[in-house]
């Protein structure tokens, strides 16, 4: 089944689809850029079943908006989406990836992300909308060093 899932670069025409997936997962969409430049969609025979994105704050990236529909979870799709962002981070020569999460701390720990505090964030990432009210204050912040 996982072989039938394709990970495709999100096109601007998929904006409404991406917003619907994110809203269904309770994730913020207010600051989502319409060009979806650094976003990917997991596709199961023409149906969008997952999404991931990254906001760029070079030399850093902010992993954001990762979700997979519940009926497709635990099939390695999220891992493929995260791998896609990490590949792009390497290609763009980024040094670190950051994220903020309410529910996926243990998942991202397994992917090599480590807990940090807001004080540990570089100023550019700390000033993002994600870090300033779009995500709840109870959320945890994590970082992963990108090795080239």
């Amino acid at each position: 089944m996982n072989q039938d899932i394709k990970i495709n670069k999100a096109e601007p025409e998929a904006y409404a689809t991406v917003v619907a997936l994110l809203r269904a997962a309770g994730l913020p969409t207010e600051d989502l850029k319409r060009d979806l430049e650094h976003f990917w969609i997991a596709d199961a025979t023409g149906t969008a079943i997952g999404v991931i994105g990254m906001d760029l704050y070079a030399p850093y990236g902010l992993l954001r908006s990762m979700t997979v529909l519940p009926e497709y979870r635990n099939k390695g799709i999220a891992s493929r989406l995260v791998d896609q962002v990490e590949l792009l981070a390497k290609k763009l020569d980024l040094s670190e990836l950051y994220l903020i999460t309410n529910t996926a701390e243990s998942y991202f720990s397994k992917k090599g992300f480590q807990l940090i505090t807001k004080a540990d964030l570089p100023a550019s990432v700390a000033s993002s909308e994600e870090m300033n009210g779009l995500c709840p204050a109870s959320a945890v912040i994590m970082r992963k060093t990108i090795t080239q």
Side-chain angles (χ1 to χ4, degrees), residues 84-104:
Q84 192 67 51
V85 166
E86 289 186 14
L87 280 171
L88 179 64
K90 286 181 183 181
K91 187 175 161 187
L92 295 175
D93 220 14
L94 301 183
S95 59
E96 294 170 325
L97 271 178
Y98 293 87
L99 64 85
I100 185 167
T101 183
N102 283 320
T103 59

Side-chain angles (χ1 to χ4, degrees), residues 8-9 14 20 23 27 29 55 59 77 84 88-89 100 132-133 136 139:
N8 300 312
K9 172 87 181 67
R23 286 187 179 154
L27 294 172
T29 59
D55 288 342
I77 298 164
Q84 192 67 51
L88 179 64
I100 185 167
N132 289 285

